[in-house]
Amino acid sequence: MTEITRRKLITSGLAAAAGAAGVAFAAKLAQGHGLIPPDAGVRYGTGEALTYAAQRVLGSNANAREFSLAQISTNPFANEVDPLGDEFKRLQDGGFADWRLTVDGMAAHPTTFSLAQIKSFPSSSQITMIGCEEGWTYIAKWSGVPLWYILDRVGASPQTRYVVYRSFQHDWWESIDMADALHPQTLLATGMNGSDLPVPFGGPLRLRVPRQLGYKNIKYLTQMTLTDNPKPFGKGGTGGFASDFGYAWYAGI
Amino acid sequence: MSATLPVPNRDAKPRSKPDVAIQSSQSFLVRHSALVRLTHWLTALAFFALLVTGGEIILSHPRFYWGETGNVNMQPWLNLHLPSSRDTVPTGYGYVLPDQNGWSRYLHFEAAWLLVATGLLYVIWGLFHGHFRRNVFPARSDLSPANLGSSVLSHLRFERPGGDEAWSYNVLQRVAYLIVIFVLFPLMIWTGLAMSFAFDAAFPATVTLLGGHQTARSLHFLVTILLVLFVMVHVFMIVFAGFRTRMRAMIAGRVVPPKD
């Protein structure tokens, strides 16, 4: 009886040690492959890290589902937006001719684009679903220039690992990894359902990341910064406004 | 030291011949193996976390739809008429609950990982170790209409289980556990994954086979209700059959042999 117990003890001990070493090795490997999200260290961040790593390994190049014209929602919900203020009103009255998007950071040619310039770039369209973390969804046709085109144009450094982006509503900022930033469906959306993107839906310019939830699809885009580390941005060191506020940085689920 | 102990015999039908262990001078029968006990309580922990956080997430939009799309501009098939943690949802209540979705979503997915890992460990071990064959799959004879009928009747009459049921599951228990393990939990995981935009990108059939994103969400909620009903009956039956013996069996693994 004792012998079996001892053998069991030794076996379990070895298994536990091997398990711990395995976890440490996997974590190191994941770190090396950029599979650890910036908010992995927060409470319950382990689950987030597992989800992010698993989804990146399973299909970082996969396309979000696209729908038919007939499936476009006739009654999309814009969600509420905090008051945009007088400066926004002035820009809106001018037909957003003075709207600017600055792209800086790890770029060979940091550039400030006008809305007209952005609209003149090769445009792409997709009929995709947007969903809120609350659970509701709608389908729309989004059009605009793919983000990879802009990154190419500003000469993004190969060391770039994240794109940090900011809204006209200055508190709102987020970051995405290069798997999403270079993804063909990630757009600087200027159009929705065949016309200019309406203001309640984020017009004149919204980042459309169809494989992530609405809160990563920031409205009223004004600035993008290419970086290898999003943690120094913002106050919480988690790579985004939502994650500083207690929401997961990765919103693919 | 007591009288005769049943002889351990792995080849025999174990319902009546449980494993025997001896420790010092005390005798007891091993009712649940260590792995069953561990995975049972890990599952209970994960399920509790998933239930609380899932309920919290629902409060941010306590309405359910069929198909792909659904939002406050559309007609839900089910409106729970609960107060919401969002002022964009028309609830009929004059107040808005505090937003707790951040940690709820974090914990929901972390608990889901724990549940899936625990479930895989349990199912793989159970298949290789003969746990399902010996303890969970009902014997063919138990599935005869007469046997099933008498088991249903005895349950309906609220007859307390006999001594032999202290180390074996009756046929209705076996059927219920099989449904929970091989139908309801897999459905929960499937419908849950179907709500992930990135997972659906990689495996679109996950959601299209179900009939859409909002259908997946509705089914996730409906299966939750079935699982909650199961847990309620499960806990009731434990109290009814003998809380102390059943809890001792699932915590310490032992049942004291009946005195013949």
Side-chain angles (χ1 to χ4, degrees):
Chain A
M1 231 34 205
T2 26
E3 228 170 50
I4 289 174
T5 313
R6 186 178 300 149
R7 186 191 299 161
K8 264 192 170 168
L9 203 70
I10 291 170
T11 322
S12 330
L14 281 176
V23 168
F25 178 71
K28 191 123 181 106
L29 203 68
Q31 185 80 53
H33 285 79
L35 293 175
I36 306 282
D39 61 338
V42 307
R43 183 181 297 167
Y44 312 132
T46 309
E48 143 98 341
L50 285 169
T51 305
Y52 175 64
Q55 296 201 339
R56 281 295 174 259
V57 169
L58 283 175
S60 65
N61 297 321
N63 278 346
R65 288 191 300 147
E66 301 208 16
F67 298 86
S68 70
L69 276 167
Q71 286 174 291
I72 290 176
S73 298
T74 49
N75 34 24
F77 179 58
N79 211 355
E80 60 185 348
V81 170
D82 290 335
L84 287 156
D86 294 340
E87 173 65 5
F88 190 90
K89 184 82 172 57
R90 188 187 68 75
L91 290 163
Q92 189 174 5
D93 289 345
F96 295 117
D98 293 336
W99 191 272
R100 294 290 179 270
L101 171 73
T102 300
V103 184
D104 55 22
M106 298 170 69
H109 327 286
T111 312
T112 296
F113 299 99
S114 71
L115 193 62
Q117 261 179 302
I118 290 170
K119 284 184 170 177
S120 73
F121 294 145
S123 172
S124 165
S125 288
Q126 62 189 23
I127 302 173
T128 51
M129 178 186 288
I130 187 164
C132 182
E133 46 82 24
E134 296 160 19
W136 51 270
T137 51
Y138 65 87
I139 293 170
K141 181 179 178 182
W142 310 85
S143 39
V145 57
L147 176 56
W148 66 261
Y149 181 87
I150 299 288
L151 297 184
D152 191 46
R153 206 174 165 94
V154 300
S157 152
Q159 271 78 51
T160 309
R161 289 187 51 204
Y162 298 90
V163 175
V164 171
Y165 46 105
R166 199 172 282 282
S167 166
F168 180 86
Q169 298 176 300
H170 216 69
D171 283 345
W172 281 97
W173 71 281
E174 282 297 334
S175 64
I176 49 173
D177 65 4
M178 299 317 279
D180 267 328
L182 297 174
H183 191 272
Q185 288 174 315
T186 300
L187 304 183
L188 299 178
T190 49
M192 179 178 166
N193 295 337
S195 40
D196 281 346
L197 183 62
V199 169
F201 289 92
L205 191 62
R206 177 179 200 175
L207 189 72
R208 184 75 184 101
V209 194
R211 298 189 303 175
Q212 295 209 43
L213 294 172
Y215 68 80
K216 300 294 278 193
N217 292 246
I218 279 193
K219 296 172 175 176
Y220 320 118
L221 205 60
T222 55
Q223 196 194 6
M224 303 193 118
T225 304
L226 317 187
T227 180
D228 57 357
N229 180 15
K231 292 187 181 184
F233 295 79
K235 298 187 183 83
T238 61
F241 171 71
S243 42
D244 281 358
F245 191 69
Y247 279 78
W249 172 82
Y250 179 64
I253 189 164
Chain B
M1 199 31 227
S2 68
T4 47
L5 288 166
V7 179
N9 181 354
R10 286 191 179 276
D11 299 327
K13 202 178 158 213
R15 295 190 55 170
S16 51
K17 306 266 190 200
D19 291 351
V20 173
I22 300 168
Q23 197 179 56
S24 62
S25 64
Q26 177 136 35
S27 68
F28 58 84
L29 302 173
V30 174
R31 173 65 186 96
H32 297 299
S33 72
L35 193 127
V36 165
R37 286 177 276 140
L38 176 75
T39 52
H40 172 270
W41 291 113
L42 285 177
T43 303
L45 178 73
F47 182 77
F48 180 70
L50 284 159
L51 186 64
V52 170
T53 54
E56 207 300 311
I57 293 165
I58 282 176
L59 288 180
S60 66
H61 198 88
R63 297 153 56 100
F64 293 91
Y65 314 85
W66 297 123
E68 292 284 6
T69 56
N71 57 58
V72 288
N73 294 335
M74 295 172 70
Q75 195 61 39
W77 71 266
L78 175 65
N79 184 345
L80 295 180
H81 295 291
L82 292 171
S84 173
S85 56
R86 299 292 188 277
D87 60 5
T88 48
V89 182
T91 58
Y93 294 86
Y95 57 92
V96 176
L97 295 171
D99 171 17
Q100 304 291 325
N101 265 21
W103 69 266
S104 292
R105 284 173 43 80
Y106 266 120
L107 180 53
H108 199 75
F109 303 136
E110 184 153 291
W113 274 103
L114 175 63
L115 186 90
V116 169
T118 305
L120 282 178
L121 175 66
Y122 170 72
V123 167
I124 290 169
W125 172 87
L127 289 174
F128 279 97
H129 205 259
H131 167 65
F132 293 118
R133 182 167 41 80
R134 279 181 292 141
N135 303 328
V136 189
F137 295 146
R140 191 172 290 272
S141 58
D142 280 351
L143 286 174
S144 72
N147 260 317
L148 274 174
S150 79
S151 187
V152 169
L153 270 181
S154 77
H155 277 83
L156 287 177
R157 292 199 200 100
F158 287 92
E159 287 169 10
R160 284 185 196 276
D164 60 325
E165 285 198 19
W167 51 70
S168 175
Y169 297 138
N170 67 56
V171 63
L172 288 192
Q173 252 179 311
R174 286 167 188 251
V175 170
Y177 292 166
L178 282 176
I179 290 174
V180 166
I181 294 164
F182 291 106
V183 180
L184 298 186
F185 270 118
L187 263 179
M188 276 320 268
I189 295 162
W190 179 8
T191 54
L193 283 172
M195 285 185 275
S196 159
F197 284 89
F199 193 87
D200 289 341
F203 305 101
T206 312
V207 61
T208 51
L209 283 177
L210 291 172
H213 187 99
Q214 292 298 332
T215 300
R217 184 170 175 265
S218 291
L219 292 175
H220 201 68
F221 174 68
L222 291 174
V223 179
T224 304
I225 293 178
L226 295 180
L227 281 173
V228 168
L229 284 175
F230 165 78
V231 170
M232 285 165 66
V233 173
H234 181 58
V235 171
F236 170 81
M237 292 305 284
I238 282 155
V239 173
F240 184 70
F243 185 75
R244 288 171 67 96
T245 57
R246 294 302 191 271
M247 284 300 269
R248 191 190 295 128
M250 195 44 97
I251 293 170
R254 302 159 187 185
V255 287
V256 178
K259 293 178 176 65
D260 294 321

